[in-house]
Amino acid sequence: MKTTQAELEDQITSLRAELASLTKSLSRRGSAAFEDIEDRASDLYGYVQDRGPDMAREVRKQARQLERTARDNPVASVALAAVVLLVIGALLRRD
């Protein structure tokens, strides 16, 4: 069975139409996904902007408390740091 020039042109036209339809569909889906991501990012930014100063104060407070504890217990602080470094080293060697 031999395919004629006209049949090939019809198949090409049909494929182009299908491709255009798929492209339009993907474009709509991509646009919707982008809008969803944009909304989520905006919400997260608003949350961080609202809570940022409180979080920064809490981090500074915890850092000062840690610094006081380290100054009050220098030997224990050095020992704890050594243990943490040994654990990290052991974990890195396992790979």
Side-chain angles (χ1 to χ4, degrees):
M1 184 171 169
K2 201 171 188 183
T3 305
T4 67
Q5 176 86 17
E7 290 173 334
L8 287 175
E9 288 175 4
D10 287 344
Q11 288 177 356
I12 290 172
T13 301
S14 176
L15 288 172
R16 283 185 179 156
E18 285 183 48
L19 181 60
S21 175
L22 286 172
T23 301
K24 188 184 286 187
S25 176
L26 287 174
S27 177
R28 281 192 304 264
R29 287 182 183 175
S31 178
F34 177 77
E35 288 174 8
D36 184 47
I37 291 170
E38 187 177 33
D39 289 344
R40 288 181 185 188
S42 179
D43 292 346
L44 180 60
Y45 178 77
Y47 174 78
V48 169
Q49 193 174 24
D50 292 344
R51 300 273 301 151
D54 295 335
M55 293 171 143
R57 273 193 295 279
E58 185 62 30
V59 167
R60 283 193 296 274
K61 180 180 168 185
Q62 294 296 327
R64 284 191 299 271
Q65 185 175 352
L66 181 60
E67 185 180 343
R68 269 186 254 120
T69 301
R71 242 183 286 140
D72 293 345
N73 304 297
V75 174
S77 299
V78 170
L80 178 60
V83 168
V84 168
L85 289 174
L86 286 172
V87 169
I88 291 171
L91 290 173
L92 290 175
R93 268 194 231 153
R94 292 176 75 189
D95 291 337

